[in-house]
PDB file of all heavy atoms in Angstrom:
ATOM      1  N   LYS Q  29     -25.098  14.945 -24.572  1.00  0.00           N
ATOM      2  CA  LYS Q  29     -24.656  16.249 -23.995  1.00  0.00           C
ATOM      3  C   LYS Q  29     -24.126  17.181 -25.150  1.00  0.00           C
ATOM      4  O   LYS Q  29     -24.394  18.386 -25.122  1.00  0.00           O
ATOM      5  CB  LYS Q  29     -23.750  16.162 -22.833  1.00  0.00           C
ATOM      6  CG  LYS Q  29     -23.551  17.387 -22.165  1.00  0.00           C
ATOM      7  CD  LYS Q  29     -24.589  17.871 -21.292  1.00  0.00           C
ATOM      8  CE  LYS Q  29     -24.224  19.153 -20.399  1.00  0.00           C
ATOM      9  NZ  LYS Q  29     -25.292  19.773 -19.908  1.00  0.00           N
ATOM     10  N   PHE Q  30     -23.549  16.628 -26.123  1.00  0.00           N
ATOM     11  CA  PHE Q  30     -23.151  17.452 -27.265  1.00  0.00           C
ATOM     12  C   PHE Q  30     -24.418  18.157 -27.941  1.00  0.00           C
ATOM     13  O   PHE Q  30     -24.361  19.138 -28.624  1.00  0.00           O
ATOM     14  CB  PHE Q  30     -22.491  16.530 -28.397  1.00  0.00           C
ATOM     15  CG  PHE Q  30     -21.068  16.242 -28.105  1.00  0.00           C
ATOM     16  CD1 PHE Q  30     -20.597  14.962 -28.158  1.00  0.00           C
ATOM     17  CD2 PHE Q  30     -20.115  17.138 -27.866  1.00  0.00           C
ATOM     18  CE1 PHE Q  30     -19.259  14.547 -27.946  1.00  0.00           C
ATOM     19  CE2 PHE Q  30     -18.739  16.918 -27.590  1.00  0.00           C
ATOM     20  CZ  PHE Q  30     -18.392  15.589 -27.604  1.00  0.00           C
ATOM     21  N   ARG Q  33     -25.115  21.780 -27.809  1.00  0.00           N
ATOM     22  CA  ARG Q  33     -24.685  22.668 -28.804  1.00  0.00           C
ATOM     23  C   ARG Q  33     -25.734  23.169 -29.922  1.00  0.00           C
ATOM     24  O   ARG Q  33     -25.660  24.168 -30.534  1.00  0.00           O
ATOM     25  CB  ARG Q  33     -23.507  22.139 -29.533  1.00  0.00           C
ATOM     26  CG  ARG Q  33     -22.284  21.980 -28.557  1.00  0.00           C
ATOM     27  CD  ARG Q  33     -21.215  21.121 -29.315  1.00  0.00           C
ATOM     28  NE  ARG Q  33     -20.033  21.152 -28.545  1.00  0.00           N
ATOM     29  CZ  ARG Q  33     -19.028  22.043 -28.757  1.00  0.00           C
ATOM     30  NH1 ARG Q  33     -19.041  22.749 -29.771  1.00  0.00           N
ATOM     31  NH2 ARG Q  33     -17.858  21.909 -27.947  1.00  0.00           N
ATOM     32  N   HIS Q  49     -27.518  14.425 -16.955  1.00  0.00           N
ATOM     33  CA  HIS Q  49     -26.120  14.294 -17.284  1.00  0.00           C
ATOM     34  C   HIS Q  49     -25.233  13.891 -15.985  1.00  0.00           C
ATOM     35  O   HIS Q  49     -24.323  13.095 -15.929  1.00  0.00           O
ATOM     36  CB  HIS Q  49     -25.540  15.426 -18.069  1.00  0.00           C
ATOM     37  CG  HIS Q  49     -24.194  15.305 -18.607  1.00  0.00           C
ATOM     38  ND1 HIS Q  49     -23.963  14.477 -19.787  1.00  0.00           N
ATOM     39  CD2 HIS Q  49     -22.988  15.787 -18.170  1.00  0.00           C
ATOM     40  CE1 HIS Q  49     -22.697  14.433 -20.048  1.00  0.00           C
ATOM     41  NE2 HIS Q  49     -22.115  15.322 -19.076  1.00  0.00           N
ATOM     42  N   MET Q  99     -13.647  11.231 -17.764  1.00  0.00           N
ATOM     43  CA  MET Q  99     -14.792  12.042 -18.030  1.00  0.00           C
ATOM     44  C   MET Q  99     -15.486  12.498 -16.717  1.00  0.00           C
ATOM     45  O   MET Q  99     -15.637  13.676 -16.584  1.00  0.00           O
ATOM     46  CB  MET Q  99     -15.709  11.236 -18.928  1.00  0.00           C
ATOM     47  CG  MET Q  99     -15.359  11.272 -20.475  1.00  0.00           C
ATOM     48  SD  MET Q  99     -14.865  12.766 -21.195  1.00  0.00           S
ATOM     49  CE  MET Q  99     -16.316  13.824 -20.949  1.00  0.00           C
ATOM     50  N   GLY Q 103     -15.634  16.233 -15.067  1.00  0.00           N
ATOM     51  CA  GLY Q 103     -16.882  16.815 -14.873  1.00  0.00           C
ATOM     52  C   GLY Q 103     -17.036  17.387 -13.487  1.00  0.00           C
ATOM     53  O   GLY Q 103     -17.613  18.499 -13.229  1.00  0.00           O
ATOM     54  N   TYR Q 106     -15.067  20.391 -12.845  1.00  0.00           N
ATOM     55  CA  TYR Q 106     -15.709  21.592 -13.607  1.00  0.00           C
ATOM     56  C   TYR Q 106     -16.832  22.139 -12.690  1.00  0.00           C
ATOM     57  O   TYR Q 106     -16.825  23.336 -12.422  1.00  0.00           O
ATOM     58  CB  TYR Q 106     -16.386  21.061 -14.889  1.00  0.00           C
ATOM     59  CG  TYR Q 106     -17.126  22.162 -15.655  1.00  0.00           C
ATOM     60  CD1 TYR Q 106     -16.562  22.793 -16.698  1.00  0.00           C
ATOM     61  CD2 TYR Q 106     -18.421  22.478 -15.254  1.00  0.00           C
ATOM     62  CE1 TYR Q 106     -17.130  23.795 -17.429  1.00  0.00           C
ATOM     63  CE2 TYR Q 106     -19.103  23.419 -16.102  1.00  0.00           C
ATOM     64  CZ  TYR Q 106     -18.460  24.048 -17.099  1.00  0.00           C
ATOM     65  OH  TYR Q 106     -19.153  25.060 -17.847  1.00  0.00           O
ATOM     66  N   LEU Q 114     -22.206  20.021  -6.024  1.00  0.00           N
ATOM     67  CA  LEU Q 114     -22.426  18.848  -6.732  1.00  0.00           C
ATOM     68  C   LEU Q 114     -23.471  17.938  -6.206  1.00  0.00           C
ATOM     69  O   LEU Q 114     -23.699  17.726  -4.901  1.00  0.00           O
ATOM     70  CB  LEU Q 114     -21.144  17.844  -6.784  1.00  0.00           C
ATOM     71  CG  LEU Q 114     -21.043  16.725  -7.642  1.00  0.00           C
ATOM     72  CD1 LEU Q 114     -20.898  17.061  -9.113  1.00  0.00           C
ATOM     73  CD2 LEU Q 114     -19.828  15.808  -7.299  1.00  0.00           C
ATOM     74  N   HIS Q 139     -12.810  18.558 -19.903  1.00  0.00           N
ATOM     75  CA  HIS Q 139     -13.954  17.676 -20.039  1.00  0.00           C
ATOM     76  C   HIS Q 139     -14.337  17.515 -21.489  1.00  0.00           C
ATOM     77  O   HIS Q 139     -14.544  16.438 -22.085  1.00  0.00           O
ATOM     78  CB  HIS Q 139     -15.115  18.204 -19.128  1.00  0.00           C
ATOM     79  CG  HIS Q 139     -16.263  17.188 -18.941  1.00  0.00           C
ATOM     80  ND1 HIS Q 139     -16.151  16.059 -18.285  1.00  0.00           N
ATOM     81  CD2 HIS Q 139     -17.500  17.212 -19.468  1.00  0.00           C
ATOM     82  CE1 HIS Q 139     -17.340  15.432 -18.305  1.00  0.00           C
ATOM     83  NE2 HIS Q 139     -18.168  16.178 -19.013  1.00  0.00           N
ATOM     84  N   SER Q 140     -14.408  18.700 -22.148  1.00  0.00           N
ATOM     85  CA  SER Q 140     -14.996  18.732 -23.482  1.00  0.00           C
ATOM     86  C   SER Q 140     -14.007  18.078 -24.485  1.00  0.00           C
ATOM     87  O   SER Q 140     -14.337  17.220 -25.409  1.00  0.00           O
ATOM     88  CB  SER Q 140     -15.382  20.200 -23.974  1.00  0.00           C
ATOM     89  OG  SER Q 140     -15.628  20.152 -25.343  1.00  0.00           O
TER      90      SER Q 140
HETATM   91  C1  LIG B   1     -18.995   9.152 -18.687  1.00  0.00           C
HETATM   92  C2  LIG B   1     -19.232  10.251 -18.133  1.00  0.00           C
HETATM   93  C3  LIG B   1     -19.419  11.428 -19.022  1.00  0.00           C
HETATM   94  C4  LIG B   1     -19.338  11.792 -20.355  1.00  0.00           C
HETATM   95  C5  LIG B   1     -19.125  10.755 -21.516  1.00  0.00           C
HETATM   96  C6  LIG B   1     -19.643  13.113 -20.558  1.00  0.00           C
HETATM   97  C7  LIG B   1     -19.796  13.689 -21.794  1.00  0.00           C
HETATM   98  C8  LIG B   1     -19.961  15.056 -21.975  1.00  0.00           C
HETATM   99  C9  LIG B   1     -20.157  15.710 -23.167  1.00  0.00           C
HETATM  100  C10 LIG B   1     -20.181  15.105 -24.656  1.00  0.00           C
HETATM  101  C11 LIG B   1     -20.387  17.038 -23.091  1.00  0.00           C
HETATM  102  C12 LIG B   1     -20.561  18.188 -24.081  1.00  0.00           C
HETATM  103  C13 LIG B   1     -19.202  18.797 -24.416  1.00  0.00           C
HETATM  104  C14 LIG B   1     -19.250  19.777 -25.526  1.00  0.00           C
HETATM  105  O1  LIG B   1     -20.360  20.012 -26.101  1.00  0.00           O
HETATM  106  O2  LIG B   1     -18.098  20.260 -25.920  1.00  0.00           O
HETATM  107  C15 LIG B   1     -20.307  17.306 -21.632  1.00  0.00           C
HETATM  108  C16 LIG B   1     -20.484  18.589 -20.989  1.00  0.00           C
HETATM  109  C17 LIG B   1     -20.590  18.631 -19.577  1.00  0.00           C
HETATM  110  N1  LIG B   1     -20.449  17.697 -18.657  1.00  0.00           N
HETATM  111 FE1  LIG B   1     -20.107  15.708 -19.006  1.00  0.00          FE
HETATM  112  N2  LIG B   1     -19.729  13.673 -19.324  1.00  0.00           N
HETATM  113  C18 LIG B   1     -19.661  12.756 -18.310  1.00  0.00           C
HETATM  114  C19 LIG B   1     -19.761  12.997 -16.936  1.00  0.00           C
HETATM  115  C20 LIG B   1     -19.985  14.241 -16.339  1.00  0.00           C
HETATM  116  C21 LIG B   1     -20.115  14.400 -14.921  1.00  0.00           C
HETATM  117  C22 LIG B   1     -19.991  13.271 -13.882  1.00  0.00           C
HETATM  118  C23 LIG B   1     -20.224  15.764 -14.786  1.00  0.00           C
HETATM  119  C24 LIG B   1     -20.471  16.470 -13.397  1.00  0.00           C
HETATM  120  C25 LIG B   1     -20.234  16.053 -12.243  1.00  0.00           C
HETATM  121  C26 LIG B   1     -20.180  16.247 -16.026  1.00  0.00           C
HETATM  122  C27 LIG B   1     -20.586  17.654 -16.272  1.00  0.00           C
HETATM  123  C28 LIG B   1     -20.635  18.239 -17.484  1.00  0.00           C
HETATM  124  C29 LIG B   1     -20.855  19.665 -17.609  1.00  0.00           C
HETATM  125  C30 LIG B   1     -21.140  20.707 -16.492  1.00  0.00           C
HETATM  126  C31 LIG B   1     -20.827  19.915 -19.046  1.00  0.00           C
HETATM  127  C32 LIG B   1     -21.077  21.216 -19.721  1.00  0.00           C
HETATM  128  C33 LIG B   1     -19.783  21.921 -19.885  1.00  0.00           C
HETATM  129  C34 LIG B   1     -19.909  23.197 -20.634  1.00  0.00           C
HETATM  130  O3  LIG B   1     -20.941  23.739 -20.748  1.00  0.00           O
HETATM  131  O4  LIG B   1     -18.912  23.703 -20.984  1.00  0.00           O
HETATM  132  N3  LIG B   1     -20.125  15.384 -17.038  1.00  0.00           N
HETATM  133  N4  LIG B   1     -19.958  16.041 -21.067  1.00  0.00           N
END
Side-chain angles (χ1 to χ4, degrees):
K29 184 76 176 162
F30 279 127
R33 290 173 172 260
H49 190 77
M99 283 313 300
Y106 179 99
L114 189 71
H139 193 69
S140 172

